[in-house]
Amino acid sequence: MAERYDIAIIGTGAGGGTLAYSLAATGKKILILERGGFLPREIENWSPGAVFNQGRYKTTEPWYDRKGQEFHPGTHYYVGGNTKVYGAVLFRLRREDFGELRHYGGISPAWPVKYEDMAPWYTKAEHLYSVHGQRGIDPTDPPGDPYSHPAVTHEPRIQEIVDDITRKTGLHPFPLPLGIRLNEQHPEFSECVRCGTCDGFPCLVNAKSDSHTTCIVPALKHSNVTLVTHAKVTRLHTDAGGRTVTEIEAEVDGRPQRLQADIVVSSCGAINSAALLLRSANDKHKQGLANSSGQVGRNYMCHLNSAILTVSNKPNPTKFQKTFGINDFYLKGPHGDYPLGHLQTLGKATKEMLEDDAPFFAPGLALDYMATHSIDWWITSEDLPSPDNRVTLTRNGDVCLEYTPNNEEGHSRLLAKLKDIVHEIGADFHFLPSVGYLSKRIPLAGVAHQVGTTRFGADPKTSVLDVNCKAHDVDNLYVVDGGFFCSSSAVNPALTIIANALRVGEHIAARVK
Ligand SMILES: Cc1cc2nc3c(=O)[nH]c(=O)nc-3n(C[C@H](O)[C@H](O)[C@H](O)COP(=O)(O)OP(=O)(O)OC[C@H]3O[C@@H](n4cnc5c(N)ncnc54)[C@H](O)[C@@H]3O)c2cc1C
Ligand code: SF4
């Protein structure tokens, strides 16, 4: 007879890792199943060639677009999930994001919880993930307790840009909230060394607040918590009535296994959780497990993202560039119209990262010159939930991702605003679309900010999960990852996934007491 657990958590990313941490002290028998292994600590962690050009840590799993064309998603299967490589920008959603917002492209719907419901969980999440920041500069920052770590300082060239923007444009550049274990006051004790390869790279010295080092490692200190790696969950089985998940089918080191738990949590990431539910269709759940609403896999959102390179005559020797953002156009554009989105600096582009797109730029500017003189930007606008943007399965059960970008007007206006800003602060800037892994507009394979495929809500007819992220249709099944989002907002999603995992963790802990 297989061993039975109180709680099984599938996946160890921002959602699953944080949930495991929050439940570890309950003393309940917790099983964590992760399809990947530990990301190897090796010198290639910090090699732009290995990470960007060769895609060393990305999955090689094929996914398919709506025409059946194969593509390789920019996603990562390791203990810690995508937080192993994230840029660690850990934002709260704005208070307004929880309500209904009108955009150029339509309505961004309200959430079933308010900002005030989430605020205490955001505070806990910021403490847990050692977020550095400063409140009161970003005009859209919602009310919150002060950060427990001071804002990460700007390197001199970036400070110059921030000062120029503040002085010449009247905008409010603010320090990005960053989850890194950096001690600038006492660098001799600092785990983080402010290297040049953070955003998009794993951290060789384990100083990034990813869910592996922040949550899974401490959770495993509890003897009631078991982690099984290389355990890919393939299907969930229910009892005859369809109200209870009774068995978890997995391939552990390639061999089939069946496992049992009283409560089952899917934290595979928004796309893979939806795919798992669709693969788990049975007689009682004909269109996929927990899918009486027909919403599983629908409303996939990933933001409208662009990477931009601005090259100036002045060298930019910055190593750690991702230190400031601008939200002045987050809620409305310069003419008081609809939301445009969010601007932030990117990790510093290197010559290797630019090489892939070299023919596009050659022979105008040498790559070396571009890499040493560019300021690199990431701009994000909200995409709106649409039932037609969705995860389905191919005949073989592989992921098919159908996505047509919407709400693009705000994004192109934001891009134009960035051009204005750059022109206002200095005529020595050339304006170029970006290059490398972040190409100009992030394509379908850029699934980094995936959310929305199992949205939560009060009405079982229009949502997959209830307000506690339990499936409406199944009594012991939860989804705790980016899937629950009702709208994508225009800030990076991980802190909201983390805060929600802590919130749901408290609910599950009370349930199993
Ligand atoms: C390059 C990059 C940079 C980013 N930068 C930022 C940033 O600066 N700020 C920010 O907020 N967000 C950022 N993100 C996004 C952020 O990483 C994600 O929002 C977050 O990790 C999502 O958490 P999750 O729990 O939903 O899924 P994930 O973190 O993807 O975790 C899912 C886990 O489930 C496992 N899994 C999947 N399927 C199965 C299965 N069938 N069986 C068992 N295990 C399974 C996976 O291996 C993985 O460990 C970035 C992402 C990338 C890729
Ligand atoms: S040392 Fe610091 S800057 Fe470098 S990858 Fe680690 S956390 Fe990021």
Side-chain angles (χ1 to χ4, degrees):
M1 181 74 181
E3 200 171 356
R4 192 175 179 90
Y5 292 84
D6 295 311
I7 303 165
I9 300 171
I10 309 164
T12 57
T18 308
L19 182 69
Y21 174 90
S22 83
L23 291 170
T26 59
K28 294 291 164 186
K29 276 182 69 175
I30 298 171
L31 172 66
I32 308 170
L33 297 167
E34 168 53 54
R35 70 181 285 174
F38 290 95
L39 194 145
R41 292 181 74 190
E42 54 188 8
I43 198 66
E44 287 85 352
N45 286 180
W46 280 348
S47 157
V51 175
F52 281 94
N53 306 41
Q54 291 146 35
R56 188 174 180 87
Y57 305 113
K58 266 178 25 183
T59 180
T60 53
E61 187 175 64
W63 288 6
Y64 297 87
D65 68 12
R66 61 159 56 91
K67 293 190 175 138
Q69 289 292 320
E70 181 177 320
F71 70 93
H72 293 272
T75 199
H76 303 80
Y77 297 145
Y78 291 103
V79 175
N82 281 297
T83 67
K84 284 309 287 180
V85 298
Y86 74 170
V89 172
L90 291 177
F91 267 112
R92 296 176 178 215
L93 262 57
R94 316 292 85 180
R95 178 190 248 151
E96 294 81 354
D97 287 320
F98 290 87
E100 188 176 287
L101 275 175
R102 183 167 285 280
H103 284 252
Y104 283 102
I107 297 287
S108 165
W111 289 39
V113 293
K114 294 193 297 295
Y115 172 74
E116 285 66 25
D117 301 320
M118 286 297 284
W121 302 106
Y122 276 133
T123 302
K124 286 185 205 299
E126 285 165 351
H127 288 312
L128 179 60
Y129 278 70
S130 307
V131 181
H132 294 244
Q134 188 179 351
R135 297 214 192 277
I137 304 179
D138 172 1
T140 68
D141 203 10
D145 297 333
Y147 290 104
S148 44
H149 301 277
V152 174
T153 58
H154 307 303
E155 288 176 45
R157 177 66 177 133
I158 299 303
Q159 184 67 56
E160 211 168 65
I161 301 279
V162 167
D163 292 344
D164 278 350
I165 294 176
T166 312
R167 223 181 35 245
K168 296 183 184 171
T169 69
L171 300 176
H172 303 85
F174 62 91
L176 284 174
L178 287 162
I180 53 178
R181 292 186 277 268
L182 172 69
N183 185 343
E184 294 194 272
Q185 289 65 44
H186 292 285
E188 66 279 18
F189 300 127
S190 182
E191 291 173 58
C192 168
V193 295
R194 265 193 95 122
C195 71
T197 48
C198 193
D199 191 11
F201 293 78
C203 178
L204 182 53
V205 296
N206 277 341
K208 190 189 284 192
S209 303
D210 56 46
S211 68
H212 158 223
T213 55
T214 309
C215 291
I216 294 290
V217 169
L220 290 176
K221 296 209 168 108
H222 294 257
S223 57
N224 52 306
V225 179
T226 306
L227 167 69
V228 184
T229 58
H230 303 289
K232 179 180 171 187
V233 173
T234 48
R235 203 180 167 96
L236 303 175
H237 295 271
T238 67
D239 61 359
R243 289 295 314 185
T244 307
V245 173
T246 48
E247 275 193 325
I248 302 165
E249 193 178 315
E251 285 165 10
V252 182
D253 287 321
R255 283 189 295 278
Q257 259 201 42
R258 292 206 171 209
L259 301 137
Q260 296 177 343
D262 292 342
I263 289 180
V264 175
V265 185
S266 180
S267 297
C268 300
I271 294 173
N272 274 309
S273 276
L276 177 61
L277 298 186
L278 294 173
R279 272 184 211 115
S280 303
N282 64 23
D283 281 352
K284 289 284 174 200
H285 298 268
K286 288 210 163 53
Q287 33 172 15
L289 186 57
N291 195 19
S292 64
S293 63
Q295 295 300 312
V296 170
R298 294 190 189 270
N299 308 304
Y300 166 71
M301 294 167 279
C302 58
H303 285 152
L304 306 172
N305 290 311
S306 294
I308 313 294
L309 208 77
T310 52
V311 182
S312 94
N313 295 333
K314 249 188 182 174
N316 177 14
T318 306
K319 283 204 170 70
F320 189 89
Q321 181 174 251
K322 204 175 183 65
T323 53
F324 82 89
I326 299 176
N327 271 340
D328 293 77
F329 308 112
Y330 192 92
L331 294 170
K332 53 182 188 302
H335 309 297
D337 40 16
Y338 299 119
L340 305 191
H342 162 68
L343 292 159
Q344 66 184 232
T345 37
L346 255 179
K348 183 74 203 76
T350 65
K351 187 180 168 197
E352 290 102 315
M353 290 167 166
L354 305 182
E355 261 162 15
D356 282 352
D357 271 0
F360 179 67
F361 291 103
L365 283 164
L367 290 185
D368 252 339
Y369 184 87
M370 285 169 61
T372 50
H373 289 69
S374 66
I375 308 283
D376 315 270
W377 308 81
W378 176 254
I379 71 170
T380 301
S381 308
E382 181 160 351
D383 53 346
L384 302 172
S386 156
D388 299 329
N389 286 339
R390 62 187 295 208
V391 178
T392 56
L393 299 177
T394 66
R395 228 177 272 149
N396 295 332
D398 294 321
V399 169
C400 173
L401 189 59
E402 303 182 32
Y403 181 73
T404 307
N406 56 36
N407 199 27
E408 296 194 277
E409 176 70 25
H411 195 65
S412 36
R413 286 179 187 242
L414 188 59
L415 185 55
K417 260 335 285 178
L418 175 60
K419 287 184 188 177
D420 291 347
I421 294 169
V422 169
H423 285 132
E424 276 178 63
I425 65 170
D428 55 350
F429 274 103
H430 317 274
F431 202 84
L432 300 164
S434 188
V435 290
Y437 94 109
L438 292 167
S439 66
K440 297 127 262 174
R441 257 297 279 281
I442 303 306
L444 183 70
V447 295
H449 290 185
Q450 55 182 280
V451 293
T453 52
T454 53
R455 71 180 176 198
F456 75 152
D459 184 353
K461 291 202 178 69
T462 56
S463 56
V464 177
L465 307 174
D466 70 13
V467 173
N468 292 317
C469 291
K470 186 189 81 62
H472 288 296
D473 301 344
V474 183
D475 296 328
N476 67 340
L477 174 65
Y478 291 77
V479 181
V480 179
D481 52 29
F484 78 106
F485 279 48
C486 298
S487 62
S488 68
S489 81
V491 289
N492 314 53
L495 190 76
T496 300
I497 299 171
I498 292 164
N500 184 58
L502 295 173
R503 182 183 74 92
V504 176
E506 187 186 68
H507 159 82
I508 295 179
R511 178 175 166 167
V512 297
K513 206 148 63 185

